Amino acid sequence: MKSQLSFISVSVLCLLSQNLFSADKEKPNVIFILADDIGYGDLGWMGAKTIQTPNVDRLADEGIRFTNCHATSSTSTPSRYGLLTGMYPWRRKDTGIANGDAPMIIHPDQYTIADMFKQAGYTTGAVGKWHLGLGGEKGKQNWNGCISPALNDIGFDDWLIIAATADRVPCVFVENNRVVNADPNDPIQVSYQKPFPGELLGRDHPELLRLHPSDGHDMAIVDGIPRIGYMQGGKSALWHDEDIAGRITNRAIDFITKNKQQPFFLYFCTNDIHVPRVPNEKFAGKSGMGSRGDAILSFDYTVEQIMHALDSLGIADNTIIVLTSDNGPVLDDGYKDNAVELLGKHKPGGIFRGGKYSIFEAGTRVPMIIRWKNSIKENGISGALVSQIDLMRSLAAMTRVEIPKEAATDSRNELNALLGKTEKGRDYLIEQNMNNTLSVVNANWKYIEPGKGPAINEGTNTELGNSPVDQLYDLKNDPGEKNNLADANHKKITAKLQKILKREKSDKYITHKYGLHYPTICHQR
Ligand code: NG6
Ligand code: CA
């Protein structure tokens, strides 16, 4: 009897462990490491010679490098909207660069990639730069109490974020609906309309600044740095810019550690290398390329710390890491930080034209590495045409979650391409610049629609790619988009791509009501 029992328990155990094993394979942890403004040519593995990124390169060596991956847009808010919802941001009018008092742009009704992971049984977290608004109404966030709706309403269980960008107020961390270290005796006030009585501004007090603006960025002074927007109070909650990278990396590691025994999804967005670039003293002056280069070193160190945490917890190999950037590179983005003067031979956009804000390739063609040691080959290079917008349906296919039909309508299941099983990616994708000029890219060609915006973004000295006429580029033979062939003998190709764009633009934005609903719980601290 006894031996029979132990036989049964052994078989039950075997069955259980088989189940666990297959569940593991289908439910690896997933971490997105989303850099800010890191260009196609900024990382060692993409050809940068004057800057060293050994930890990112290690990730690339252990996974697949994608050479034809695209963000939907060449600025942050729309790009992140696309990534998290699987829908093109230009289908809506309110997805442009958000200020720190913007309402939440992804509606609680919308189904997000975090909802998808929750449905698959994952614990979900978001850490770092958010830039997709908070609260229900512009300028009405309760910075001194419970901020709602917020990330918990769109699928994130646990989060600590910078509301917008580090160059926009409020310069505080928000953690699970509340400002960290808020002091009721020193209430936080935020405005994008007018300064608060007695507030000293960057534009009037250069003597108080440790970093000076080159364009805009002349309002509230926080930590000796002038920002966009006005702010008063909250002294105990203000961040110190040198500490941002460490703070959010530690929070990401805490989330990973806490959830090491169950599948988790972590959306981890670095502040590096967005302006103001004020890297920690560990990196200050170390790149020889000024603070932009130092911020790349800081980003690389963040990757090292995350990998170290995963390795020491023994979960690195069953964790999918997707490392990418929200949009292309920019040098002078509004502060005098010598990014232009100290660039040397470095080419942030690699062989591509334009940069952040642009419809040319450097605006939206971004580095992407996927590492999943258990399941994908090492040292792979893939030229498959993929968009960040595809992560949603591809990972849903992996976790076997059925996404509501009306959600993520622009996302395609490209799992085989993302896991390196095929070089065949999308047939085409759409890109967007800061002026909402759109382009269509397929395996060989790129068509840019005529646009009314300026040719150059004066402040950053970036070619935006706007032109009153059609543009067609042969990306295979002319990746630098130098020769416009729209007028040459390529009328048919131009017409074909125009037709695709017209059809895509006629698809209306669908308001769907498929978000999962979670009650806001404002924990007292
Ligand atoms: C621009 C800011 C720039 C940056 C950008 C958003 C000025 C002159 N420029 O308006 O500094 O904050 O917005 O960047 O204010 S993004 O990567 O978050 O999209
Ligand atoms: Ca960005």
Side-chain angles (χ1 to χ4, degrees), residues 23 86 148 170 285 327 378 383 497:
S148 170
N327 53 252
E378 299 197 1
L497 295 177

Side-chain angles (χ1 to χ4, degrees), residues 283-309:
F283 306 104
K286 296 286 157 59
S287 68
M289 219 188 271
S291 57
R292 185 176 185 279
D294 300 344
I296 296 177
L297 301 185
S298 167
F299 175 77
D300 189 62
Y301 181 59
T302 290
V303 173
E304 177 183 356
Q305 287 173 288
I306 299 283
M307 289 314 297
H308 178 73

